[in-house]
Amino acid sequence: MADNAQTSWTGGNKPKPSGSGSTASAKDKSRAASRPVAAKAPGKGGKGGNTARPGGKPATAAKAPASSRSTTLLVWGAVGLVVVIIAVLAIVKLTSSTDLSYTPVTPAPASVVHDVTNIPLSVYDTVGVTSPTAPVNPPTIIKAQKPLTLAGASPAMLYIGAEYCPYCAAERWAMTAALSRFGTWSGLKITGSSHTDTDANTSTFSYHGATLTSPYLTFKSVELESNQPLASGGYANLEPVTKEEANVYAAYASKNVQGWQPGTYSFPFININNLAVIGGPSYDPLVLAGQTWSSIASGLSDPTNPATQAIVATANYMSASICASTQGKPGDVCTSSGVQAAAKALGINAS
Amino acid sequence: MPTLRWQPLTTLVLSLIGLGASIYLTITHFDKVALVCSSSGAINCEKVTSSPQSVIFGIPVAMLGLLYFVPMAALCLPAAWRTADRRIHLARLVLAIVGVGMIIYLIIAELFLIKAICLWCSGVHVTTFFLFVIITTASPIVLATGQGAADDDLADLSPADGVAP
């Protein structure tokens, strides 16, 4: 490098033809003024430009100091190290078995949580239960049942699903919004449904590790399986079902869950205080296709957005069912026109 | 490396490219405007830019890019390359090293945490890497001599040749 440096700095520029010395150009004058190294008297050397200093060492690689060669090695060593690091990262990634399309579970960004848990009341009321472009299925109302008790608390709501399940992915948007009207979420994650199933990679939340704190009802969730595919097929187990939760599923799934088969779980399964049961998709996840968490969440302030209409209408149905279980509490939610419209459609009293 | 003729111009151009991409990514971060980029599969800019790793210590990574390329562009101006002030050349070198360290972290985040790749971000990474290569290899020249780049070396950049820094 030092040899290069000397080549660059002491004799690097093209020498000008001899004979120009007596009439220095403006360029030479400027150079003399700006650079001490070129401050030799113009015109005496005849060459101008950056000629080698008198008595200076020839700029040859053979005579370059050893320390300069060390600098060269150090510099190119650093560049080589960076190249190697990046190459190793790429190779490790390419040779690993993990599919790039698989959506990992990560903490939900604060902006997404804020948008989905703070949908304006005007949007709930404007949408009601009507979604012209994304039809919504109401929950099944089961009357004359004892209120649901979970872990000794009532009223209660139970959700059983899986991270890979695309219908659960759609349902969680509405459920997260609806439950935020009755309590406070913590530990919400974001993820996507299976990348190989129908409605692949639907952006959604995961309730694994999330809790809802509410003065009005107890909410329990079970994410039975992850969305991480196993080499042997299927998905990794995530959360076990308690005996109490299994009994609730067994009591209501056979008549209310699409695709139910004895001894198996079909998703999603939502039981709102033994009053309302959701046993399949409330709306088609296709309305969320290709959208990110942030685009879905930010769209929730627009009542004309098809995804918003599907999510909010479903949330109003859920809210009305919860209000019917909490004796109309909280009042501002349960007496809102959106919830009242849902209660009327379901034939229940939400206030 | 016979001269520094092309390095100053190249680093300035690279800095401006990085600055432009960072401005675009910052705008889309705050305005939630969809990036002009694939949003499915392994190439998914929105998935990367809306991921938890897109914010470091409360500062969006896109804005960190902006905070990196603004001073870098200034340090790659012809006047900065010409100056005899070693601190300027050291600052440029340090910034280049910090930049490449950051892109190694971001590549790890994309490949192993987010599991998606953002093409705009990759463009910025490539720009930062080449800035690192050029500045790292050029810096010993300017630091060893204790002087800035020759006026002639920057002739293509300077409207008035030989102006003292």
Side-chain angles (χ1 to χ4, degrees), chain A residues 8-9 27 30-31 34 93 100, chain B residues 2 111 141 148 152 161-162:
Chain A
S8 295
W9 298 101
K27 193 172 185 176
S30 172
R31 180 179 298 113
S34 62
K93 187 65 203 176
L100 267 179
Chain B
L111 292 180
I141 299 174
D152 282 357
D161 184 32

Side-chain angles (χ1 to χ4, degrees), chain A residues 1 4 8-9 13 27 30-31 34 75-76 79 82-83 89 93 98 100 102-104 106-107 109 115 292 294 298, chain B residues 1-3 32 42 46-47 50 52 100 108 111 113 115 129 132 136-137 140-141 145 148-153 161-162:
Chain A
M1 189 64 69
N4 291 340
S8 295
W9 298 101
N13 295 328
K27 193 172 185 176
S30 172
R31 180 179 298 113
S34 62
V75 165
W76 284 106
V79 171
V82 171
V83 172
L89 289 174
K93 187 65 203 176
T98 306
L100 267 179
Y102 148 68
T103 307
T106 54
D115 288 347
T292 62
S294 57
S298 61
Chain B
M1 190 179 303
T3 72
K32 295 180 180 176
E46 280 199 50
K47 187 174 177 181
S50 62
V100 84
I108 291 172
L111 292 180
L113 301 178
K115 303 188 178 183
F129 172 73
F132 168 76
T136 306
T137 53
I141 299 174
T145 59
D151 296 333
D152 282 357
D153 296 339
D161 184 32

Side-chain angles (χ1 to χ4, degrees), chain A residues 78-163:
Chain A
V79 171
L81 180 64
V82 171
V83 172
V84 167
I85 290 172
I86 295 173
V88 166
L89 289 174
I91 290 168
V92 167
K93 187 65 203 176
L94 289 173
T95 55
S96 65
S97 58
T98 306
D99 189 334
L100 267 179
S101 300
Y102 148 68
T103 307
V105 179
T106 54
S111 59
V112 172
V113 175
H114 175 271
D115 288 347
V116 76
T117 58
N118 289 277
I119 299 173
L121 183 61
S122 60
V123 174
Y124 281 111
D125 292 346
T126 302
V127 172
V129 291
T130 305
S131 178
T133 54
V136 172
N137 302 315
T140 302
I141 298 298
I142 306 168
K143 295 186 175 176
Q145 298 289 308
K146 286 177 62 178
L148 178 62
T149 299
L150 291 174
S154 185
M157 176 172 168
L158 173 65
Y159 156 79
I160 298 176
E163 286 179 346

Side-chain angles (χ1 to χ4, degrees), chain A residues 108-298:
Chain A
S111 59
V112 172
V113 175
H114 175 271
D115 288 347
V116 76
T117 58
N118 289 277
I119 299 173
L121 183 61
S122 60
V123 174
Y124 281 111
D125 292 346
T126 302
V127 172
V129 291
T130 305
S131 178
T133 54
V136 172
N137 302 315
T140 302
I141 298 298
I142 306 168
K143 295 186 175 176
Q145 298 289 308
K146 286 177 62 178
L148 178 62
T149 299
L150 291 174
S154 185
M157 176 172 168
L158 173 65
Y159 156 79
I160 298 176
E163 286 179 346
Y164 76 82
C165 156
Y167 299 148
C168 306
E171 215 66 23
R172 283 191 211 94
W173 282 100
M175 194 161 29
T176 305
L179 286 170
S180 71
R181 308 173 85 179
F182 299 89
T184 304
W185 282 104
S186 61
L188 281 172
K189 314 285 196 311
I190 55 171
T191 188
S193 63
S194 165
H195 66 283
T196 57
D197 205 337
T198 182
D199 300 303
N201 288 323
T202 299
S203 297
T204 187
F205 296 94
S206 170
Y207 290 159
H208 180 47
T211 54
L212 180 88
T213 305
S214 169
Y216 305 108
L217 85 161
T218 296
F219 173 71
K220 296 290 182 184
S221 68
V222 182
E223 299 284 13
L224 275 173
E225 296 175 72
S226 76
N227 61 352
Q228 187 171 354
L230 298 173
S232 56
Y235 300 88
N237 288 329
L238 203 57
E239 297 176 335
V241 179
T242 65
K243 187 176 180 181
E244 182 179 52
E245 292 160 350
N247 289 339
V248 173
Y249 182 85
Y252 292 94
S254 62
K255 293 181 180 176
N256 301 292
V257 174
Q258 295 178 15
W260 176 83
Q261 291 180 338
T264 63
Y265 284 96
S266 294
F267 319 124
F269 171 77
I270 301 171
N271 181 323
I272 303 174
N273 204 37
N274 287 347
L275 171 70
V277 174
I278 296 172
S282 293
Y283 63 94
D284 192 340
L286 185 63
V287 75
L288 306 176
Q291 295 197 60
T292 62
W293 307 275
S294 57
S295 62
I296 295 170
S298 61

Side-chain angles (χ1 to χ4, degrees), chain B residues 64-130:
Chain B
L64 288 177
L66 207 57
L67 295 176
Y68 172 80
F69 281 108
V70 167
M72 179 57 91
L75 290 169
C76 291
L77 288 171
W81 277 102
R82 274 200 304 267
T83 185
D85 190 340
R86 289 170 59 88
R87 290 173 299 181
I88 297 294
H89 302 300
L90 276 174
R92 187 191 304 116
L93 178 60
V94 169
L95 203 55
I97 293 171
V98 169
V100 84
M102 187 68 182
I103 66 163
I104 288 174
Y105 162 72
L106 292 173
I107 289 171
I108 291 172
E110 281 188 86
L111 292 180
F112 300 99
L113 301 178
I114 307 167
K115 303 188 178 183
I117 293 168
C118 162
L119 283 183
W120 282 94
C121 313
S122 298
V124 174
H125 298 170
V126 170
T127 302
T128 307
F129 172 73
F130 281 113

